[in-house]
Amino acid sequence: MSHRCNKSLVVVALAAWLMSPCASAFILTKPLPSASAHPRTIHHSSVDSIIDGPSNGNDDSTLTKICHILQNLQKDLLANPSKLQPILQQHQDSSADDVELSSENVVKETLLSTRIPDLQLQLNRTRTGPSTIDGAGRGLFATEDIAKGELITCYPGDALLCEYSELEIDDEEEDGFDEEDIDFEDEDYYDEEADYVEEVVLWGEHVDATDRLEEDEVFDGIVDKDLPPLTSYAATVDDVYSVMGMPILDNNPAYYGHFANDGAGHIAIQTGVADAARRGIEEIISSYVSESVELSNARHKPIADGLHLGTFASKDIKKGEEVMVTYGPDYWMTFEG
């Protein structure tokens, strides 16, 4: 994904519209998945239901093998806690070292941020190349015919964004809750993200230390190197975790999910303030949603109970065809370059 644009007033208007009742009624009529909307995180597309095996009637033996591999790795990590040390060490070095996690959570974080060794020997169905979308940079293309429902590639967790909620109130605290104790004039009361989410960025063990970014670079990019935020390559797995693929790690077709573009992104990028005023926000969003859904032929979905994220064909894809997903209005609402 390589779209870059300047945030304009139309984005602000888009944000206001998305929060309105009419937006909810409109969006619910469209087959768009929802994505997290953390103010500092640009979520690249989003996900559907968890897949624990073949996602339709097709015999997707590769998906079954990957699920078995992940489940076996999960059992091995639970039986050998010492192998979780790389992730645990990153937690200790982070600002959220007081977050209490179960062994299952740490195992999940480890596997989400892992690239299964030699998986490209079993999953090699795509290549990257210049996108058919003007200004989109690289895109993802099928190197063979892919049937609807089949696994195309995996979405890498080179970096893992963890958003731990601090809104955990036990029964005793809840019983003793007194509304009179709340200062409703305090702006922080309304800013749930500021008070109740602890962010941590964890790196996959396969990512060389020299390639790892500072936290500000993850969220803000590097201006003098013309590098966008790594969060522009993020996809939501669940309410806590989002995987982020590094565009420089581009030699493994088993993990190419982060190169799938949104075919209708140009509508969000090219819409100016004057055009928005003339056409109206509802019409612009309707145009974007309709074209994005029409052009998309793939979706990102968690597999193996959320231990990995896969990119699946939502339509039959022919050899040579570009693989496209829909990022959703919320992505373009927060996107800036």
Side-chain angles (χ1 to χ4, degrees), residues 52-261:
D52 291 310
S55 54
N56 67 354
N58 295 325
D59 180 17
D60 197 341
S61 60
T62 300
L63 174 59
T64 301
K65 291 177 182 177
I66 292 173
C67 288
H68 288 162
I69 291 171
L70 288 167
Q71 289 160 359
N72 288 334
L73 288 172
Q74 181 185 43
K75 292 176 183 178
D76 179 59
L77 290 171
L78 287 171
N80 298 279
S82 61
K83 295 182 179 181
L84 301 174
Q85 190 57 37
I87 287 289
L88 291 173
Q89 185 61 53
Q90 290 188 66
H91 273 292
Q92 292 174 10
D93 296 339
S94 74
S95 59
D97 57 346
D98 58 342
V99 174
E100 294 185 7
L101 296 172
S102 66
S103 297
E104 288 76 12
N105 285 131
V106 181
V107 168
K108 182 174 182 177
E109 293 177 354
T110 298
L111 293 178
L112 278 172
S113 59
T114 293
R115 290 194 178 205
I116 299 174
D118 300 323
L119 186 59
Q120 69 272 22
L121 300 178
Q122 300 182 55
L123 186 59
N124 187 349
R125 317 184 76 179
T126 55
R127 63 172 178 83
T128 61
S131 176
T132 59
I133 306 168
D134 289 340
R138 284 186 291 180
L140 183 64
F141 296 84
T143 56
E144 61 183 60
D145 290 347
I146 302 173
K148 178 180 177 180
E150 290 184 348
L151 179 64
I152 302 170
T153 186
C154 291
Y155 200 109
D158 302 320
L160 183 66
L161 177 62
C162 313
E163 297 173 300
Y164 303 116
S165 172
E166 297 176 352
L167 269 175
E168 296 179 358
I169 304 175
D170 60 29
D171 292 338
E172 291 185 10
E173 290 176 330
E174 194 169 321
D175 291 341
F177 174 74
D178 189 349
E179 189 174 289
E180 294 181 359
D181 294 336
I182 298 179
D183 181 4
F184 289 98
E185 295 183 1
D186 184 354
E187 291 183 1
D188 287 341
Y189 171 75
Y190 301 96
D191 189 0
E192 292 186 1
E193 297 290 354
D195 287 339
Y196 303 126
V197 172
E198 187 74 54
E199 283 182 335
V200 179
V201 175
L202 303 174
W203 293 93
E205 197 172 359
H206 62 279
V207 179
D208 192 275
T210 59
D211 291 328
R212 300 183 184 188
L213 305 175
E214 298 294 333
E215 184 172 316
D216 286 346
E217 296 171 343
V218 169
F219 292 103
D220 303 326
I222 306 176
V223 176
D224 59 353
K225 294 184 178 180
D226 198 32
L227 291 177
L230 187 59
T231 49
S232 63
Y233 290 89
T236 306
V237 178
D238 54 33
D239 290 340
V240 177
Y241 301 115
S242 297
V243 288
M244 297 183 285
M246 299 189 72
I248 63 171
L249 301 183
D250 57 1
N251 62 350
N252 187 343
Y255 289 95
Y256 272 174
H258 55 316
F259 290 110
N261 284 311

